[in-house]
Structures are given as structure tokens and as C-alpha cells.
Amino acid sequence: AERSSTDPNFSFVPVLLSGDNPQCRVAEISALSSKFMLYLTLISGLLGAVSSPKIGTLSDRYGRTPLLALTSVGSLIAEVITIFAAKYPDNVHYTWLLAGAVTDGICGSFTAGWAMSHSYAADTTQPAKRAVAFGYIQGCLFVGIAIGPLIAAYVVEATGSIVSVFYLVLLVHVCFLCYVLFVIPESLSRKRQLAAREKFKLEPKDNRQIFTRIKSANFFEPLKILYPTGEGSSPQLRMNLLLLSAVSTILFGSAMASMSVLLLYSEYQYDWGSKEKNLFFSVANTSRVSALVII
């Protein structure tokens, strides 16, 4: 639209938000898309990094399932905003997706949900079997990542609409939320919850105003767990923890960043539509699951 206003000889095919748009597969649009994806990821990731430790401590006092449900609520709200932006673009600007990223981040996003799942597994398994439980959770995650794009590809083909996938995702979030709240039992006993609440009450408090507390809050305080100085710690232990966290940050960050790059590159270079991109990601993640399980 901007180009047509400055070049009278240029014309473009109207954009249909419910389907693929080959006319948008140009370098300028890819650049804008990558920047917007960066904003979404940064907002959700940074807010999730701040809120996840707080959600973790709340789960110690009030149980795992309510906080696990909370992590899904943020994603659910983000999906609702996405659907409204796609269905009513004249009334809901696409920048509202940033608000969805904010709600997702405040509720902990993927980070808190992943941590809550592991905490639940740790509560309900013996120490000797926890590694096995964590392995099953990891395997199920990659199976879902492999199957999800495949289902999305056929849903888009059957309905002819990309928005239909977001309706499906919304349904999955609602089912998960109901399952967590009404089906699975709480893993943390009432006794342990009350003990954590009493311990929290005994922590030193001050009477400063809420804004002063927020201003003086140290959001990096939870990272002290990576640098223990108490009994049983050592320089080697601290170095190992720091190195492991650095490796995890690099690997997870690279994996998250490469997804959007692969999407934009395949769309621009090979003229792939939604179906082709979803099939590619399904095959790639199926290979990952196979390597994880077999090798």
C-alpha cells in the first residue's frame, strides 16, 4: 500500500488475511515480519523470565495446578487476541498481538508452564525415577511439536483458512485448562503448602509503599540459585551451574530464533504456503523425536 502511494504504475493484489498471500512474499515484508516476531518473542520472553520465579514460589504456597492453569490462561488470551485481529482487522490492529505477548509473558509463558510440569513430576515420583519422568515429558513435548504442524497443514487445506488453526489451538488451551483444574489431582500436599506459607510469613517485611517496593525489587534475585555459597557448595559447583545455564540459554535461544527464520526464508525463497511450511516442520521435528528416542 505504501509503495502504490508513491508509484502510480504499481498495483497489488488485495491481501486476504484468512489465506496465503503470494504477493506478500517480498524482502520488505519478510524484514518487517522478522522484526515484529522479534518484538513478540522479546516481550513474552523477558516478562516470562521475570514472572516465572514468582509463579514458582506461589506454587509452593498454593499448589501446582492453579499456577499451571495460570500459565495456560496467558496463552489462551493471546490466541483470542490473534483471532480478533485476523477476523476484524479494521477494528483490531495487528499491534494488539503485542498485548497478547504481554499477557502471555506476565502469566509465565512457556517457561513457567515447563517448570510447573517438572515440579508436578518431582512431587509425584520417587527421586530415583524423576529422570525417567522428565524424559517422558520431554518426549511428549517433541511428539506434540511433530504432530501439531502436520494437523495444522491438513486443517488449513480442508478449511482454506489459516484462522481455523487458531480456533483449534484455542480449543486445545480450553481443554488443557479444564483438565488441569478439574481432572488431575493436586501434587503438593496441604501440609507442605501451609508450611511454605508459614515460612513466607516469617520472612522480614517492611512497611514501604507498594511503588517503592516495586522500584527497589531485584528481578535478578532468583538467579542467585545458580551461584550457591552455603554449606556443600564449591567453586566447581558454581562454575558447573553457570556453564549449564549458559549452554541452555544459547541452545534454547537458537532454537526459538531459528523457527521464525526458517519460516520466513522458506516462504520467501521457495514460495511455500502454510501447508508446505507445516509439513516441513512436522518432518523436521519427527526426525528430532526419532533421534532422541532411538539414538
Side-chain angles (χ1 to χ4, degrees):
E2 292 175 358
R3 184 173 172 182
S4 65
S5 64
T6 58
D7 186 356
N9 297 320
F10 176 77
S11 61
F12 66 94
V13 180
V15 174
L16 300 176
L17 291 180
S18 60
D20 287 319
N21 295 277
Q23 70 275 26
C24 292
R25 295 169 192 165
V26 294
E28 293 83 0
I29 297 298
S30 296
L32 291 171
S33 298
S34 63
K35 288 180 181 178
F36 191 72
M37 287 181 179
L38 172 65
Y39 301 151
L40 291 173
T41 305
L42 279 177
I43 291 172
S44 178
L46 291 175
L47 289 177
V50 171
S51 61
S52 291
K54 308 298 182 184
I55 291 174
T57 56
L58 284 173
S59 72
D60 290 336
R61 302 199 297 270
Y62 300 101
R64 310 295 187 203
T65 52
L67 278 303
L68 185 58
L70 176 65
T71 62
S72 184
V73 168
S75 300
L76 189 148
I77 294 173
E79 297 300 337
V80 170
I81 293 175
T82 302
I83 291 172
F84 273 98
K87 293 290 290 184
Y88 310 105
D90 295 332
N91 299 316
V92 182
H93 197 264
Y94 74 89
T95 50
W96 272 97
L97 295 177
L98 298 174
V102 170
T103 59
D104 186 35
I106 290 175
C107 292
S109 192
F110 172 82
T111 308
W114 189 240
M116 288 296 99
S117 299
H118 281 72
S119 296
Y120 191 100
D123 293 337
T124 55
T125 56
Q126 297 296 326
K129 296 182 178 180
R130 282 176 188 166
V132 178
F134 294 160
Y136 279 131
I137 293 175
Q138 185 90 353
C140 288
L141 171 69
F142 285 123
V143 168
I145 292 175
I147 295 175
L150 185 64
I151 296 173
Y154 287 107
V155 168
V156 171
E157 185 180 38
T159 61
S161 172
I162 297 174
V163 182
S164 58
V165 175
F166 292 100
Y167 283 114
L168 179 61
V169 174
L170 184 64
L171 176 63
V172 170
H173 277 301
V174 171
C175 291
F176 176 77
L177 193 60
C178 294
Y179 181 73
V180 170
L181 290 176
F182 305 116
V183 178
I184 65 172
E186 173 56 51
S187 64
L188 204 60
S189 66
R190 182 73 175 173
K191 182 179 179 180
R192 290 178 62 187
Q193 293 180 38
L194 293 175
R197 294 180 197 177
E198 289 300 321
K199 182 180 178 181
F200 178 74
K201 289 179 181 178
L202 294 175
E203 292 180 358
K205 303 289 190 305
D206 55 37
N207 298 318
R208 293 178 294 177
Q209 297 295 321
I210 183 66
F211 293 110
T212 307
R213 293 182 186 180
I214 293 175
K215 185 178 179 180
S216 62
N218 182 8
F219 293 114
F220 298 101
E221 185 178 3
L223 295 178
K224 289 194 299 184
I225 197 172
L226 299 176
Y227 200 82
T229 56
E231 184 179 354
S233 63
S234 66
Q236 292 80 8
L237 175 65
R238 289 190 286 270
M239 180 59 68
N240 284 342
L241 286 173
L242 291 173
L243 285 174
L244 285 172
S245 61
V247 169
S248 180
T249 300
I250 293 170
L251 289 176
F252 189 71
S254 301
M256 293 294 291
S258 64
M259 289 182 185
S260 59
V261 173
L262 282 172
L263 278 171
L264 293 169
Y265 179 82
S266 60
E267 184 178 58
Y268 176 74
Q269 189 69 22
Y270 306 121
D271 290 330
W272 282 0
S274 296
K275 180 183 177 182
E276 291 80 8
K277 286 185 291 185
N278 278 296
L279 288 174
F280 169 76
F281 271 96
S282 182
V283 171
N285 286 301
T286 300
S287 302
R288 182 181 295 177
V289 172
S290 301
L292 181 69
V293 173
I294 298 172
I295 300 177

